[in-house]
Amino acid sequence: MKSSTTVQVPELVAKLGEGPDWLAERRQAAFERFRALGFPTTRDEAWRYTNVSPIARTHFRSAEPDWARAVSLLERAWVGESAVRLVLVDGRYVESLSRMPQQSGVRAMSLQRAIEQNPELVRAELARLAVFDNHAFTAWNTACFADGAVVIVEPGRVLDGAVHILHLSTGGSEPVVSHPRVLVLAGRQSQFAVVEEYLGPDGQVYLANAVTEIVCADGAVVEHYKLEREAQQAYHVAAIWARLGRDSQFTSHLVGLGSALSRHDVVVILAGPGSEAVLNGLYLVDGQRHADYQTLLHHVAPHCQSREDYKGILAGAGTGVFNGKIRVEPAAQKTDAIQHNKNLLLSREATINTKPQLEIYADDVRCTHGATVGQLEEEQLFYLQSRGMSAEEAKAALVVAFAGEVVERFRLAPLRAAVKGYIGEVARTL
Amino acid sequence: MSEPILVVRDLRACVNGKPILKGVDLTVYPGQVHAIMGPNGSGKSTLAQVLAGHEIYEVTGGEAIYCGKNLLEMKPEERAREGVFLAFQYPVEIPGLNNMEFLRAALNAIRKHRGLEEIDAFDFLNLVQERARRLGISEELLNRSLNVGFSGGEKKRNEILQLSILEPRLAILDETDSGLDIDALKAVAEGVNTMRSPERAFIVVTHYQRLLNYVVPDVVHIMYDGRIVQSGGKELAEELERRGYSWLEETVGSAR
Ligand SMILES: Nc1ncnc2c1ncn2[C@@H]1O[C@H](COP(=O)(O)OP(=O)(O)OP(=O)(O)O)[C@@H](O)[C@H]1O
Ligand SMILES: [Mg+2]
């Protein structure tokens, strides 16, 4: 059964005619696909444990920025040694809050502007990787995005400091939706980090439906960080797609701390021989919150390596889903893939559904996976208490320690301490 | 003599319903070092853990008074903040918890309780580095996860480092000397000796006379089957070393 999408039609129609013809065509196709698909239900295998009816039932309006809220959210954002800061408020680029690159070899701008200034490049890559044939939310985003961010790094460039893309949702008196869109094009042998951070005001009900596409040319070394720090009442749905050229290295660090309901689809296509992917993830749910992580490492080329480690912290009556798929095509001989998912359950009511999914069509490969679910250890708690920490402090310290391994993998040192702090803030309330 | 730091009377404790401590009596005064010796499984660690407040042990009788307060009613962290310190026989490993950050959090928890301000990051670093150097603990060890990948000796030295930073009034050392080579043993002993003061007391649990050559005890107790069956001066440890625990079993066994 398909859910009704009629409530979104006015929003859709408004966007369809915008931009150049090629974009209008893509939007139209996405729109039709979204209409045909409707919202997924728990009868869809990929959505078995995530019921999006709270989203499907809600009449979302297009978000209109609330500037006072945007400014106060800015104060909570990561202030690191970023080379560039692009600020998007409700999915639209805001120049006055952003900081442009001083270095040569990197172009960072709004999607609107990129379409005007680099039409061929954007046309070649936008909405190519993130296929929407069977993903309604990606189709919705593609049909409706108002704006977004584009980062283009020239071949051979090594950037000093990260590109920080800050997505602020400001909410409204009624539920609102925005469709942040990000395109990252890493030139041959370029090397840099992108930090995408999502923030929203507490108490607001909104949906951020984001799509990020990252294209790594041969030999590029790209680190993508995503900090999902949405409001506790918010909905966050996101797809992250990356395509890896020959000998390129891509790392996705994904930290999910907010949202009432969140869903991430991370797809990495190891298309060039010798490419390497690392998926490093951490999710934390408490209260009645729900988070769903679906990752796909798609080994297409031979001699590629993937390492995946996702850690989950589940408290209160929180629920988590981890589905880690590794698909090895017949040509992808000598694939070396390792996947881990480790979960820490802090209460009896919390649940995690964890499932590895291996689809291997090549014979000379090494693929291993493992999932664990554990609790805090009494001996560790007692040790910390015996040194003067209260039971709550000890618990928070152990939660942060559990998350520590994920954070320690960040190559951006200034982000490590900041993210430990964000995790600590939440951990103290568990 | 001044007031005792610790008075234990007829202390009884069970684990999973099984009695382990069967009536322990012990009085410790400021400035003293008490050694507790005894065969494997006699309840030495249980006594240490009960005094530190481990909840797996159920106290079924008796009392423990620390500086005039009922120790058994206090939470483990309250005991620590009031100045009780246990150097664990088996220090736990906590991956992801930075050794030095943890030590600073512990020190600040204790300072806060004493009405002091949080220690300045720079002062703390200096303090830890100086103490660590004396104990032969490398910088690299300070920056690792707590006890993760530490050798047995490194774990024990790290316990003594904590002791020297947290400056407790009552320090209980549970087999801190086991598995140490002679250099480590000397470093640990020196760490303890520099901490000895008229206000502070130590309870040193050990199997061997060896440590007591360096940390000379005022009183030696022998624990057997959940009780302290004999107490004496430092000669008692020497006698035990010479005659072995089988001698003890004979004497205690025949006395029953
Ligand atoms: N957590 C526990 N669970 C079950 N049994 C325990 C536990 N702790 C101690 N015991 C039992 O209590 C008894 C005393 O143990 P304890 O560790 O106190 O002895 P010990 O004198 O410290 O021995 P050792 O010299 O080997 O360290 C032993 O029989 C031991 O098996
Ligand atoms: Mg013991």
Side-chain angles (χ1 to χ4, degrees):
Chain A
M1 219 205 72
K2 303 299 176 194
S3 325
S4 158
T5 62
T6 51
V7 290
Q8 273 82 36
V9 172
E11 187 209 355
L12 286 165
V13 171
K15 289 281 169 296
L16 289 177
E18 287 180 13
D21 287 352
W22 63 265
L23 183 59
E25 274 164 36
R26 266 173 227 181
R27 283 191 191 276
Q28 184 69 37
F31 169 59
E32 268 149 35
R33 195 62 200 145
F34 178 48
R35 271 229 296 219
L37 286 169
F39 285 106
T41 72
T42 50
R43 266 157 295 175
D44 294 301
E45 186 55 34
W47 293 83
R48 220 172 122 193
Y49 299 105
T50 297
N51 184 349
V52 298
S53 62
I55 295 175
R57 274 200 313 264
T58 304
H59 182 120
F60 288 104
R61 309 244 235 145
S62 267
E64 288 301 326
D66 177 319
W67 297 107
R69 284 207 192 114
V71 168
S72 72
L73 284 172
L74 266 180
E75 283 164 22
R76 287 176 42 212
W78 176 60
V79 273
E81 295 147 23
S82 56
V84 184
R85 176 140 105 165
L86 298 176
V87 179
L88 280 83
V89 178
D90 298 314
R92 285 191 182 82
Y93 174 69
V94 180
E95 186 162 352
S96 59
L97 301 177
S98 302
R99 190 159 32 78
M100 281 297 116
Q102 303 298 315
Q103 305 173 47
S104 62
V106 53
R107 282 174 283 166
M109 65 197 92
S110 74
L111 179 55
Q112 295 273 13
R113 185 134 166 238
I115 291 169
E116 289 160 22
Q117 294 190 346
N118 304 281
E120 292 315 311
L121 207 52
V122 176
R123 181 181 181 171
E125 301 294 356
L126 184 71
R128 287 284 185 222
L129 202 47
V131 292
F132 48 73
D133 287 5
N134 49 19
H135 200 308
F137 284 94
T138 297
W140 188 11
N141 173 295
T142 308
C144 285
F145 63 78
D147 193 4
V150 175
V151 178
I152 303 166
V153 180
E154 301 295 326
R157 292 292 167 158
V158 177
L159 293 197
D160 240 0
V163 176
H164 186 195
I165 304 174
L166 181 56
H167 300 272
L168 306 177
S169 287
T170 61
S173 52
E174 287 170 84
V176 293
V177 59
S178 67
H179 303 279
R181 186 88 193 194
V182 174
L183 177 64
V184 178
L185 303 177
R188 271 174 292 106
Q189 258 126 27
S190 62
Q191 185 171 335
F192 60 97
V194 174
V195 179
E196 272 194 78
E197 182 177 16
Y198 290 79
L199 271 174
D202 263 323
Q204 296 292 314
V205 177
Y206 60 84
L207 165 64
N209 177 33
V211 175
T212 299
E213 293 168 292
I214 301 162
V215 183
C216 300
D218 296 353
V221 179
V222 178
E223 265 197 305
H224 178 257
Y225 296 80
K226 166 151 182 187
L227 312 179
E228 187 265 287
R229 303 174 63 207
E230 302 279 20
Q232 304 278 306
Q233 300 75 13
Y235 305 114
H236 183 95
V237 179
I240 298 171
W241 287 75
R243 189 180 63 224
L244 276 55
R246 178 182 281 270
D247 300 321
S248 65
Q249 293 175 30
F250 172 72
T251 304
S252 156
H253 303 282
L254 210 178
V255 177
L257 302 175
S259 305
L261 189 164
S262 70
R263 159 77 175 220
H264 281 88
D265 285 78
V266 181
V267 181
V268 179
I269 302 164
L270 295 106
S275 57
E276 291 180 17
V278 175
L279 301 187
N280 183 36
L282 177 78
Y283 45 93
L284 189 157
V285 289
D286 61 354
Q288 303 284 325
R289 303 194 301 115
H290 177 86
D292 182 348
Y293 292 81
Q294 306 274 322
T295 66
L296 168 61
L297 284 156
H298 192 177
H299 283 267
V300 176
H303 298 283
C304 295
Q305 180 180 296
S306 64
R307 294 287 177 268
E308 176 166 23
D309 186 16
Y310 264 66
K311 287 203 159 80
I313 298 159
L314 304 115
T319 51
V321 182
F322 173 79
N323 189 94
K325 191 162 164 179
I326 301 174
R327 188 184 163 99
V328 183
E329 296 297 341
Q333 297 294 0
K334 305 285 180 193
T335 288
D336 176 1
I338 302 178
Q339 179 192 93
H340 288 291
N341 174 232
K342 201 171 169 188
N343 296 281
L344 181 61
L345 281 186
L346 297 176
S347 87
R348 248 185 262 275
E349 289 73 41
T351 50
I352 175 73
N353 279 296
T354 172
K355 188 171 113 189
Q357 219 181 322
L358 304 188
E359 291 179 7
I360 301 174
Y361 304 105
D363 46 26
D364 187 9
V365 301
R366 183 177 80 140
C367 291
T368 61
H369 65 85
T372 61
V373 180
Q375 282 145 25
L376 288 180
E377 287 184 30
E378 287 299 323
E379 289 307 313
Q380 295 183 338
L381 281 168
F382 175 61
Y383 187 89
L384 299 187
Q385 283 177 272
S386 80
R387 299 298 182 252
M389 295 168 90
S390 69
E392 293 71 39
E393 287 165 343
K395 189 170 151 188
L398 291 181
V399 168
V400 175
F402 177 80
E405 215 180 329
V406 170
V407 179
E408 291 304 325
R409 284 197 200 100
F410 292 6
R411 262 185 261 170
L412 277 181
L415 201 59
R416 272 182 230 145
V419 170
K420 271 194 184 177
Y422 304 150
I423 296 165
E425 270 168 37
V426 187
R428 272 185 290 278
T429 67
L430 298 179
Chain B
M1 232 181 202
S2 54
E3 290 293 303
I5 282 193
L6 180 70
V7 180
V8 177
R9 280 194 209 100
D10 195 31
L11 186 63
R12 291 160 190 272
C14 290
V15 62
N16 304 328
K18 178 182 154 207
I20 310 287
L21 300 184
K22 301 173 180 172
V24 175
D25 294 283
L26 178 67
T27 301
V28 180
Y29 287 92
Q32 285 189 323
V33 173
H34 286 236
I36 300 182
M37 305 180 77
N40 290 332
S42 57
K44 305 179 298 293
S45 292
T46 301
L47 175 62
Q49 299 265 335
V50 167
L51 293 176
H54 199 313
E55 277 161 18
I56 198 175
Y57 301 98
E58 188 199 348
V59 175
T60 51
E63 60 179 1
I65 308 297
Y66 169 72
C67 298
K69 291 179 197 142
N70 183 349
L71 189 67
L72 301 178
E73 275 185 352
M74 295 157 71
K75 292 184 201 157
E77 62 268 31
E78 289 166 355
R79 302 180 198 205
R81 292 171 192 174
E82 290 283 330
V84 177
F85 179 91
L86 169 64
F88 283 60
Q89 181 173 6
Y90 305 110
V92 302
E93 299 182 6
I94 305 187
L97 181 63
N98 179 275
N99 193 15
M100 200 142 58
E101 278 173 31
F102 160 62
L103 188 49
R104 193 165 90 176
L107 177 59
N108 281 332
I110 288 169
R111 285 176 66 95
K112 193 173 162 196
H113 181 75
R114 292 179 188 161
L116 299 170
E117 282 192 5
E118 287 206 347
I119 188 164
D120 172 82
F122 186 74
D123 293 343
F124 176 74
L125 191 65
N126 280 341
L127 176 70
V128 174
Q129 285 176 338
E130 185 262 330
R131 298 284 155 87
R133 202 174 313 117
R134 277 205 262 161
L135 285 162
I137 295 174
S138 71
E139 191 94 2
E140 190 262 330
L141 222 57
L142 292 174
N143 282 308
R144 254 198 242 165
S145 288
L146 181 65
N147 290 320
V148 177
F150 287 31
S151 70
E154 286 169 340
K155 284 182 184 168
K156 301 298 176 79
R157 285 185 210 220
N158 201 51
E159 295 287 287
I160 299 303
L161 174 68
Q162 295 176 4
L163 168 75
S164 75
I165 301 281
L166 300 180
E167 303 187 325
R169 290 193 68 186
L170 175 64
I172 306 164
L173 275 49
D174 191 359
E175 301 212 15
T176 305
D177 56 330
S178 295
L180 296 188
D181 61 34
I182 191 69
D183 292 333
L185 184 84
K186 280 183 181 164
V188 163
E190 198 202 300
V192 172
N193 284 331
T194 52
M195 293 286 292
R196 285 183 79 156
S197 86
E199 292 80 43
R200 186 173 286 136
F202 289 84
I203 298 174
V204 179
V205 174
T206 180
H207 268 276
Y208 312 102
Q209 151 70 21
R210 194 175 64 147
L211 175 70
L212 305 180
N213 290 333
Y214 299 97
V215 180
V216 182
D218 301 291
V219 188
V220 175
H221 306 277
I222 295 171
M223 194 150 178
Y224 187 83
D225 191 23
R227 285 188 195 86
I228 287 176
V229 293
Q230 208 170 342
S231 301
K234 63 179 199 297
E235 344 55 74
L236 185 57
E238 285 154 17
E239 185 165 2
L240 200 60
E241 180 89 354
R242 212 169 45 245
R243 298 180 143 191
Y245 284 113
S246 55
W247 156 74
L248 185 71
E249 269 161 52
E250 285 157 29
T251 21
V252 179
S254 62
R256 283 224 185 130

